[in-house]
Amino acid sequence: SFPEAIMKQHTILPVLVACVLAATVSCGGGGSGGSSPTNPRFSQDDTSIANFTFSQSLNAGLPSDVSGTIQDNAISITVPSGTSVTALVAEFATNQSTVRANGTVQQSGVSACDYSSPVTFTVTAASGASREYTVTVTIAPSDKKQITAFSIDGVQGDIDESAGAISVSMPPHTSVISLVPSFEALAGSVTVNGAAQTSGKSAVNFTSPVVYTAVAEDGSSKNYTVTVTVRKDTAKDLTSFTFTKAKNPSLARDCSGEFNDTAVSVTLPY
């Protein structure tokens, strides 16, 4: 009947609530193997490090947060190229209050460490149990590949970065067969036809355009075509005029002329 159905619903509802409450209590953090409120999934004697991060807010040299990869007892973390690793502040999560880095007590988000070489983090539980992690920080290779200055024998070249072109205009009568350029580059290396170039030392034949390649640390590269031209000699002055005895046997001596603007006068012996 209708009243009887209502009574059954009223009976079932309290039973369901009681079951839910019982289930909630059994999943809680209270039992004899109690867990830390910091990381409830750990036991009191757990010496694990759950995460390891360099946050941008604590490390001004970082463009963004960088998290490490934890595998067994090794923590590896890669920071962007150009990052100084001598005083990085790490944030880490562990169930224990005692953490040391190379023997020095650490506080997450406060203590700075020099990560120029691997650092040993030791987590120690109240029971005396401990675990060591080796933290290795790697600086990512740079992608910079730019020739910023180029000159030959003191003559500065014009660099067109967008076109990847460098032009150098040398004085008249310059031999371009073996010239030694000086250059500056933001790159891992600079090569010509695959051969490494050293600024101020490597000689190159510039009778035709030469391709210089700036190679970044990450392996990427950019080509610069270097074109060397020799300016024409526009001078048209007569600088000397001489009758030599060797070429003129009748002369007792060499006779040189005297210049007066566009006139040359030579006095010969009687």
Side-chain angles (χ1 to χ4, degrees):
S1 65
F2 180 72
E4 184 178 353
I6 293 176
M7 289 298 294
K8 287 182 179 180
Q9 288 180 2
H10 280 245
T11 302
I12 293 171
L13 182 60
V15 172
L16 288 174
V17 172
C19 290
V20 171
L21 289 174
T24 302
V25 171
S26 66
C27 291
S32 60
S35 299
S36 163
T38 303
N39 291 288
R41 69 186 182 85
F42 291 158
S43 69
Q44 292 289 350
D45 291 330
D46 198 313
T47 53
S48 298
I49 291 179
N51 60 62
F52 194 96
T53 301
F54 295 134
S55 65
Q56 192 276 333
S57 61
L58 297 175
N59 300 277
L62 292 176
S64 61
D65 294 353
V66 182
S67 296
T69 299
I70 302 175
Q71 185 172 7
D72 297 328
N73 293 338
I75 301 175
S76 58
I77 185 166
T78 300
V79 296
S81 172
T83 302
S84 173
V85 299
T86 57
L88 291 174
V89 177
E91 291 179 291
F92 49 85
T94 178
N95 210 41
Q96 306 304 329
S97 59
T98 304
V99 179
R100 288 181 168 82
N102 290 344
T104 301
V105 174
Q106 299 293 293
Q107 183 177 348
S108 176
V110 176
S111 305
C113 280
D114 183 353
Y115 292 92
S116 299
S117 56
V119 177
T120 300
F121 271 67
T122 304
V123 181
T124 304
S127 65
S130 65
R131 182 176 180 180
E132 291 186 347
Y133 288 84
T134 300
V135 180
T136 303
V137 177
T138 303
I139 300 175
S142 172
D143 62 354
K144 292 181 179 179
K145 42 187 178 289
Q146 180 182 9
I147 294 178
T148 58
F150 194 96
S151 65
I152 300 176
D153 293 343
V155 178
Q156 295 296 323
D158 293 325
I159 301 176
D160 185 336
E161 185 63 32
S162 60
I166 301 174
S167 58
V168 186
S169 179
M170 300 301 292
H173 311 298
T174 300
S175 172
V176 299
I177 294 176
S178 182
L179 294 175
V180 178
S182 295
F183 55 83
E184 296 177 7
L186 298 174
S189 63
V190 175
T191 65
V192 170
N193 294 328
Q197 301 295 293
T198 302
S199 175
K201 293 184 178 180
S202 301
V204 177
N205 185 344
F206 287 99
T207 53
S208 59
V210 177
V211 176
Y212 275 69
T213 302
V215 183
E217 291 176 354
D218 67 358
S220 59
S221 62
K222 179 175 181 178
N223 290 336
Y224 290 82
T225 300
V226 180
T227 303
V228 176
T229 57
V230 178
R231 298 191 301 273
K232 293 182 178 180
D233 192 348
T234 58
K236 47 187 178 290
D237 292 334
L238 189 62
T239 58
S240 66
F241 191 95
T242 302
F243 294 120
T244 64
K245 182 178 182 302
K247 296 292 184 180
N248 301 275
S250 62
L251 293 177
R253 57 181 174 79
D254 294 346
C255 298
S256 297
E258 294 182 356
F259 290 84
N260 183 12
D261 292 332
T262 57
V264 181
S265 60
V266 183
T267 302
L268 300 176
Y270 178 75

